[in-house]
Tab-separated table of all heavy atoms in Angstrom:
chain	number	residue	atom	x	y	z
N	20	VAL	N	20.585	-31.922	5.361
N	20	VAL	CA	20.712	-30.583	4.784
N	20	VAL	C	19.314	-30.001	4.615
N	20	VAL	O	18.547	-30.451	3.763
N	20	VAL	CB	21.436	-30.615	3.429
N	20	VAL	CG1	21.731	-29.193	2.967
N	20	VAL	CG2	22.711	-31.433	3.506
N	21	ALA	N	18.979	-29.023	5.445
N	21	ALA	CA	17.685	-28.357	5.384
N	21	ALA	C	17.800	-27.086	4.558
N	21	ALA	O	18.891	-26.562	4.325
N	21	ALA	CB	17.194	-28.038	6.794
N	22	HIS	N	16.661	-26.575	4.132
N	22	HIS	CA	16.662	-25.398	3.273
N	22	HIS	C	17.118	-24.156	4.017
N	22	HIS	O	17.863	-23.333	3.493
N	22	HIS	CB	15.264	-25.179	2.688
N	22	HIS	CG	15.226	-24.161	1.594
N	22	HIS	ND1	15.210	-22.804	1.843
N	22	HIS	CD2	15.223	-24.291	0.248
N	22	HIS	CE1	15.187	-22.143	0.693
N	22	HIS	NE2	15.197	-23.020	-0.289
N	23	GLY	N	16.671	-23.993	5.249
N	23	GLY	CA	16.928	-22.769	6.001
N	23	GLY	C	15.721	-21.855	5.952
N	23	GLY	O	14.958	-21.865	4.984
N	24	SER	N	15.536	-21.066	7.001
N	24	SER	CA	14.338	-20.235	7.099
N	24	SER	C	14.597	-19.058	8.036
N	24	SER	O	15.409	-19.158	8.969
N	24	SER	CB	13.169	-21.069	7.640
N	24	SER	OG	12.042	-20.266	7.915
N	33	ASN	N	12.973	-28.378	12.097
N	33	ASN	CA	13.979	-29.206	11.426
N	33	ASN	C	14.840	-29.946	12.437
N	33	ASN	O	15.101	-31.158	12.300
N	33	ASN	CB	14.869	-28.349	10.535
N	33	ASN	CG	14.180	-27.779	9.325
N	33	ASN	OD1	14.522	-26.690	8.870
N	33	ASN	ND2	13.209	-28.469	8.769
N	52	CYS	N	22.637	-29.164	8.913
N	52	CYS	CA	23.146	-27.913	8.360
N	52	CYS	C	22.101	-27.345	7.415
N	52	CYS	O	21.057	-27.968	7.173
N	52	CYS	CB	24.485	-28.126	7.658
N	52	CYS	SG	24.399	-29.183	6.196
N	53	PHE	N	22.384	-26.167	6.862
N	53	PHE	CA	21.365	-25.440	6.123
N	53	PHE	C	21.941	-24.861	4.833
N	53	PHE	O	23.095	-24.448	4.765
N	53	PHE	CB	20.809	-24.310	6.992
N	53	PHE	CG	20.160	-24.811	8.255
N	53	PHE	CD1	20.918	-25.005	9.407
N	53	PHE	CD2	18.813	-25.118	8.293
N	53	PHE	CE1	20.333	-25.477	10.575
N	53	PHE	CE2	18.220	-25.595	9.453
N	53	PHE	CZ	18.980	-25.782	10.597
N	54	LEU	N	21.089	-24.814	3.822
N	54	LEU	CA	21.493	-24.261	2.536
N	54	LEU	C	21.525	-22.739	2.542
N	54	LEU	O	22.253	-22.128	1.769
N	54	LEU	CB	20.517	-24.738	1.446
N	54	LEU	CG	20.664	-26.189	1.012
N	54	LEU	CD1	19.459	-26.628	0.198
N	54	LEU	CD2	21.943	-26.374	0.208
N	55	ASP	N	20.735	-22.120	3.408
N	55	ASP	CA	20.627	-20.668	3.378
N	55	ASP	C	20.140	-20.149	4.724
N	55	ASP	O	19.433	-20.865	5.454
N	55	ASP	CB	19.634	-20.264	2.275
N	55	ASP	CG	19.749	-18.803	1.877
N	55	ASP	OD1	20.748	-18.160	2.235
N	55	ASP	OD2	18.826	-18.310	1.194
N	56	LEU	N	20.524	-18.958	5.085
N	56	LEU	CA	19.966	-18.174	6.185
N	56	LEU	C	20.369	-18.613	7.590
N	56	LEU	O	20.305	-17.824	8.535
N	56	LEU	CB	18.430	-18.127	6.110
N	56	LEU	CG	17.837	-17.519	4.835
N	56	LEU	CD1	16.324	-17.742	4.809
N	56	LEU	CD2	18.158	-16.039	4.750
N	57	VAL	N	20.734	-19.856	7.782
N	57	VAL	CA	20.986	-20.399	9.115
N	57	VAL	C	22.336	-21.124	9.113
N	57	VAL	O	22.729	-21.721	8.109
N	57	VAL	CB	19.862	-21.384	9.542
N	57	VAL	CG1	20.073	-21.839	10.982
N	57	VAL	CG2	18.489	-20.745	9.376
N	78	LEU	N	16.827	-32.597	3.316
N	78	LEU	CA	15.476	-32.475	3.876
N	78	LEU	C	14.632	-31.673	2.887
N	78	LEU	O	14.158	-30.569	3.164
N	78	LEU	CB	15.523	-31.806	5.246
N	78	LEU	CG	16.319	-32.536	6.328
N	78	LEU	CD1	16.135	-31.847	7.678
N	78	LEU	CD2	15.920	-34.009	6.426
N	79	LEU	N	14.490	-32.247	1.711
N	79	LEU	CA	13.740	-31.651	0.616
N	79	LEU	C	12.656	-32.632	0.202
N	79	LEU	O	12.907	-33.839	0.099
N	79	LEU	CB	14.657	-31.363	-0.570
N	79	LEU	CG	15.872	-30.462	-0.284
N	79	LEU	CD1	16.810	-30.428	-1.488
N	79	LEU	CD2	15.423	-29.057	0.083
N	85	HIS	N	18.177	-27.431	-6.076
N	85	HIS	CA	19.057	-27.675	-4.929
N	85	HIS	C	19.707	-29.056	-5.033
N	85	HIS	O	20.901	-29.217	-4.781
N	85	HIS	CB	18.269	-27.587	-3.624
N	85	HIS	CG	17.867	-26.197	-3.255
N	85	HIS	ND1	18.739	-25.126	-3.297
N	85	HIS	CD2	16.676	-25.699	-2.828
N	85	HIS	CE1	18.103	-24.030	-2.912
N	85	HIS	NE2	16.864	-24.348	-2.631
N	201	LEU	N	7.765	-29.030	5.328
N	201	LEU	CA	8.354	-29.648	6.511
N	201	LEU	C	8.067	-28.882	7.787
N	201	LEU	O	7.912	-29.475	8.853
N	201	LEU	CB	9.877	-29.769	6.335
N	201	LEU	CG	10.380	-30.815	5.345
N	201	LEU	CD1	11.892	-30.726	5.232
N	201	LEU	CD2	9.966	-32.210	5.781
Side-chain angles (χ1 to χ4, degrees):
V20 188
H22 191 280
S24 172
N33 291 148
C52 65
F53 299 88
L54 286 166
D55 197 14
L56 300 171
V57 185
L78 299 187
L79 303 171
H85 288 313
L201 288 176

